[in-house]
Amino acid sequence: MRRRCCAAPSSARQNWDVRSRVVRASPKKRIANFGSTFVYVTYIRTTPEKLWHALTTPEIIKQYRFGMSVESEWKVGSTWRMYADGSLMDSGEILESVPQKRLVMSWLNQWKPEFKAEGNSRCVYEIEPTGASAKLTLTHSIERPNSKFIGAVSEGWPMVTSNLKSLLETGDVALVYHRHATKR
Protein backbone atom coordinates (compact mmCIF):
# COMPACT_ATOMS: atom_id res chain seq x y z
CA MET A 1 0.00 0.00 0.00
CA ARG A 2 1.40 3.45 -0.84
CA ARG A 3 -0.13 6.82 -0.01
CA ARG A 4 1.26 10.31 -0.37
CA CYS A 5 -0.15 13.46 1.10
CA CYS A 6 0.90 16.97 0.31
CA ALA A 7 -0.96 19.78 2.03
CA ALA A 8 1.49 22.55 1.16
CA PRO A 9 2.67 24.00 -2.15
CA SER A 10 5.38 21.95 -3.83
CA SER A 11 8.11 24.34 -2.64
CA ALA A 12 7.22 23.67 1.01
CA ARG A 13 5.95 20.14 0.61
CA GLN A 14 6.28 17.61 3.42
CA ASN A 15 5.78 14.07 2.23
CA TRP A 16 4.74 10.96 4.05
CA ASP A 17 4.60 7.49 2.70
CA VAL A 18 3.08 4.25 4.00
CA ARG A 19 4.05 1.15 2.07
CA SER A 20 5.20 -2.42 1.99
CA ARG A 21 8.87 -2.56 1.16
CA VAL A 22 11.76 -4.60 -0.18
CA VAL A 23 14.97 -4.44 1.83
CA ARG A 24 18.52 -5.23 0.79
CA ALA A 25 19.79 -7.97 3.15
CA SER A 26 23.29 -8.00 1.71
CA PRO A 27 24.94 -6.64 -1.42
CA LYS A 28 24.19 -9.88 -3.26
CA LYS A 29 20.88 -11.01 -1.81
CA ARG A 30 17.52 -9.22 -1.72
CA ILE A 31 14.76 -10.36 0.57
CA ALA A 32 11.14 -9.35 0.52
CA ASN A 33 9.86 -7.70 3.68
CA PHE A 34 6.12 -7.51 3.54
CA GLY A 35 5.91 -5.31 6.60
CA SER A 36 4.42 -1.87 6.94
CA THR A 37 6.48 1.31 6.82
CA PHE A 38 5.70 4.97 7.35
CA VAL A 39 8.23 7.55 6.08
CA TYR A 40 8.01 11.30 6.70
CA VAL A 41 10.55 13.85 5.49
CA THR A 42 10.64 17.50 6.50
CA TYR A 43 13.13 20.35 6.46
CA ILE A 44 13.42 22.45 9.60
CA ARG A 45 15.18 25.80 9.75
CA THR A 46 17.46 24.81 12.64
CA THR A 47 20.78 23.11 13.23
CA PRO A 48 21.25 19.34 13.62
CA GLU A 49 22.40 20.06 17.21
CA LYS A 50 19.20 21.92 18.11
CA LEU A 51 17.06 19.28 16.39
CA TRP A 52 18.81 16.48 18.30
CA HIS A 53 18.32 18.42 21.53
CA ALA A 54 14.58 18.74 20.78
CA LEU A 55 14.29 15.01 20.02
CA THR A 56 15.98 13.97 23.27
CA THR A 57 15.01 16.59 25.88
CA PRO A 58 11.90 15.68 27.91
CA GLU A 59 10.81 19.30 28.54
CA ILE A 60 10.88 20.07 24.81
CA ILE A 61 9.31 16.74 23.79
CA LYS A 62 6.38 17.51 26.09
CA GLN A 63 5.73 20.76 24.19
CA TYR A 64 5.46 19.26 20.69
CA ARG A 65 4.03 15.85 21.71
CA PHE A 66 0.82 17.27 23.15
CA GLY A 67 1.86 17.12 26.80
CA MET A 68 3.22 13.59 26.75
CA SER A 69 6.24 12.99 28.94
CA VAL A 70 9.17 10.82 27.90
CA GLU A 71 11.81 9.18 30.07
CA SER A 72 15.12 7.88 28.72
CA GLU A 73 18.87 8.27 28.93
CA TRP A 74 18.99 8.11 25.08
CA LYS A 75 21.98 5.75 25.17
CA VAL A 76 22.18 2.41 23.35
CA GLY A 77 20.56 -0.28 25.49
CA SER A 78 18.59 2.15 27.66
CA THR A 79 14.83 1.98 27.83
CA TRP A 80 12.44 4.76 26.93
CA ARG A 81 8.87 5.26 28.09
CA MET A 82 6.19 7.73 27.04
CA TYR A 83 3.32 8.70 29.32
CA ALA A 84 0.08 10.62 28.84
CA ASP A 85 -1.63 11.85 31.99
CA GLY A 86 0.44 9.38 34.03
CA SER A 87 -0.52 6.33 31.92
CA LEU A 88 2.15 4.40 30.00
CA MET A 89 1.43 4.81 26.28
CA ASP A 90 4.53 3.47 24.51
CA SER A 91 7.90 2.01 25.46
CA GLY A 92 10.99 0.43 23.98
CA GLU A 93 14.75 0.36 23.84
CA ILE A 94 17.32 2.67 22.30
CA LEU A 95 18.96 0.57 19.58
CA GLU A 96 21.25 3.20 18.07
CA SER A 97 22.15 6.73 19.19
CA VAL A 98 24.49 8.92 17.15
CA PRO A 99 24.05 12.51 18.39
CA GLN A 100 22.97 15.01 15.72
CA LYS A 101 22.68 12.19 13.14
CA ARG A 102 20.60 9.13 13.98
CA LEU A 103 18.34 7.74 16.70
CA VAL A 104 16.83 4.26 16.42
CA MET A 105 14.32 2.89 18.91
CA SER A 106 12.27 -0.25 19.30
CA TRP A 107 8.66 0.76 19.96
CA LEU A 108 5.85 -1.12 21.67
CA ASN A 109 2.42 0.44 21.99
CA GLN A 110 1.17 -0.14 25.55
CA TRP A 111 -2.27 1.41 25.61
CA LYS A 112 -4.26 -0.26 22.84
CA PRO A 113 -4.42 -4.08 22.97
CA GLU A 114 -4.75 -4.56 19.19
CA PHE A 115 -1.64 -2.42 18.59
CA LYS A 116 0.31 -4.09 21.39
CA ALA A 117 -0.56 -7.51 19.91
CA GLU A 118 1.27 -6.54 16.69
CA GLY A 119 4.53 -6.49 18.68
CA ASN A 120 7.55 -4.24 18.48
CA SER A 121 7.99 -1.72 15.73
CA ARG A 122 11.06 0.35 14.91
CA CYS A 123 11.32 4.13 14.78
CA VAL A 124 14.30 5.81 13.11
CA TYR A 125 15.11 9.52 13.14
CA GLU A 126 17.78 10.54 10.62
CA ILE A 127 19.15 14.09 10.66
CA GLU A 128 21.13 15.65 7.81
CA PRO A 129 22.43 19.22 7.61
CA THR A 130 21.10 21.06 4.54
CA GLY A 131 22.43 24.59 4.46
CA ALA A 132 20.52 26.73 6.96
CA SER A 133 18.18 23.82 7.71
CA ALA A 134 18.21 20.27 8.94
CA LYS A 135 16.52 17.47 7.02
CA LEU A 136 14.60 15.10 9.30
CA THR A 137 13.63 11.71 7.92
CA LEU A 138 11.38 9.72 10.23
CA THR A 139 10.79 6.06 9.42
CA HIS A 140 8.43 3.94 11.52
CA SER A 141 8.13 0.30 10.49
CA ILE A 142 6.96 -3.11 11.64
CA GLU A 143 7.43 -6.59 10.23
CA ARG A 144 3.68 -7.04 9.73
CA PRO A 145 1.75 -6.38 6.55
CA ASN A 146 -1.19 -3.96 6.78
CA SER A 147 -0.31 -2.97 10.34
CA LYS A 148 -3.10 -1.11 12.10
CA PHE A 149 -0.46 0.44 14.37
CA ILE A 150 1.53 1.87 11.46
CA GLY A 151 -1.75 3.10 9.99
CA ALA A 152 -2.42 4.94 13.26
CA VAL A 153 1.05 6.47 13.53
CA SER A 154 0.73 7.64 9.93
CA GLU A 155 -1.99 9.95 11.25
CA GLY A 156 -0.10 11.02 14.37
CA TRP A 157 3.46 11.57 13.14
CA PRO A 158 2.58 14.43 10.74
CA MET A 159 0.99 16.32 13.65
CA VAL A 160 3.97 15.68 15.94
CA THR A 161 6.57 16.64 13.34
CA SER A 162 4.59 19.75 12.36
CA ASN A 163 4.63 20.80 16.00
CA LEU A 164 8.35 20.06 16.26
CA LYS A 165 9.09 22.09 13.13
CA SER A 166 6.92 25.00 14.24
CA LEU A 167 8.36 25.00 17.76
CA LEU A 168 11.95 25.09 16.51
CA GLU A 169 11.26 27.74 13.86
CA THR A 170 8.87 30.05 15.72
CA GLY A 171 8.93 29.12 19.40
CA ASP A 172 5.28 27.96 19.33
CA VAL A 173 3.60 24.69 18.33
CA ALA A 174 1.25 24.59 15.35
CA LEU A 175 -1.39 22.30 16.85
CA VAL A 176 -2.91 21.92 20.30
CA TYR A 177 -4.56 18.61 21.08
CA HIS A 178 -6.57 17.74 24.16
CA ARG A 179 -6.90 14.08 25.03
CA HIS A 180 -10.30 12.97 26.23
CA ALA A 181 -10.62 10.22 28.78
CA THR A 182 -11.82 7.05 27.10
CA LYS A 183 -12.69 3.67 28.47
CA ARG A 184 -10.42 0.87 27.39
Side-chain angles (χ1 to χ4, degrees):
M1 171 168 75
R2 188 176 181 122
R3 298 186 292 186
R4 282 204 182 269
C5 175
C6 306
S10 61
S11 62
R13 187 170 289 161
Q14 295 179 359
N15 294 314
W16 57 272
D17 187 0
V18 179
R19 65 174 182 242
S20 294
R21 62 192 165 110
V22 175
V23 203
R24 185 171 295 274
S26 71
K28 296 179 182 176
K29 181 180 175 187
R30 289 176 67 92
I31 59 170
N33 174 351
F34 297 103
S36 302
T37 299
F38 171 80
V39 177
Y40 192 90
V41 176
T42 191
Y43 294 83
I44 303 172
R45 186 171 288 280
T46 192
T47 64
E49 294 79 16
K50 288 179 182 175
L51 179 52
W52 179 264
H53 183 72
L55 292 173
T56 59
T57 303
E59 297 79 24
I60 299 172
I61 294 168
K62 194 170 194 171
Q63 291 178 61
Y64 66 83
R65 287 199 69 100
F66 307 103
M68 296 180 127
S69 59
V70 177
E71 299 172 352
S72 183
E73 293 179 15
W74 307 109
K75 297 176 184 173
V76 173
S78 67
T79 59
W80 70 272
R81 291 179 185 86
M82 186 163 39
Y83 298 88
D85 303 321
S87 296
L88 181 63
M89 303 299 284
D90 299 284
S91 65
E93 180 180 337
I94 305 301
L95 304 175
E96 189 177 336
S97 182
V98 181
Q100 291 86 48
K101 293 186 183 209
R102 185 173 165 89
L103 180 63
V104 181
M105 309 179 299
S106 68
W107 191 298
L108 182 64
N109 179 275
Q110 299 285 350
W111 68 274
K112 193 162 188 178
E114 70 183 271
F115 294 163
K116 188 172 185 175
E118 290 187 4
N120 282 303
S121 61
R122 180 180 168 109
C123 182
V124 180
Y125 295 101
E126 294 175 294
I127 302 169
E128 298 174 53
T130 56
S133 297
K135 177 182 177 183
L136 175 63
T137 303
L138 180 138
T139 305
H140 204 139
S141 58
I142 195 167
E143 303 265 335
R144 174 187 280 280
N146 303 314
S147 165
K148 289 181 181 181
F149 177 66
I150 296 300
V153 300
S154 74
E155 299 295 323
W157 275 124
M159 292 188 292
V160 170
T161 54
S162 292
N163 267 359
L164 172 62
K165 177 180 173 63
S166 181
L167 182 63
L168 288 172
E169 292 179 345
T170 72
D172 287 316
V173 296
L175 303 166
V176 177
Y177 173 78
H178 299 283
R179 279 180 297 285
H180 301 285
T182 58
K183 292 184 180 182
R184 290 189 211 172

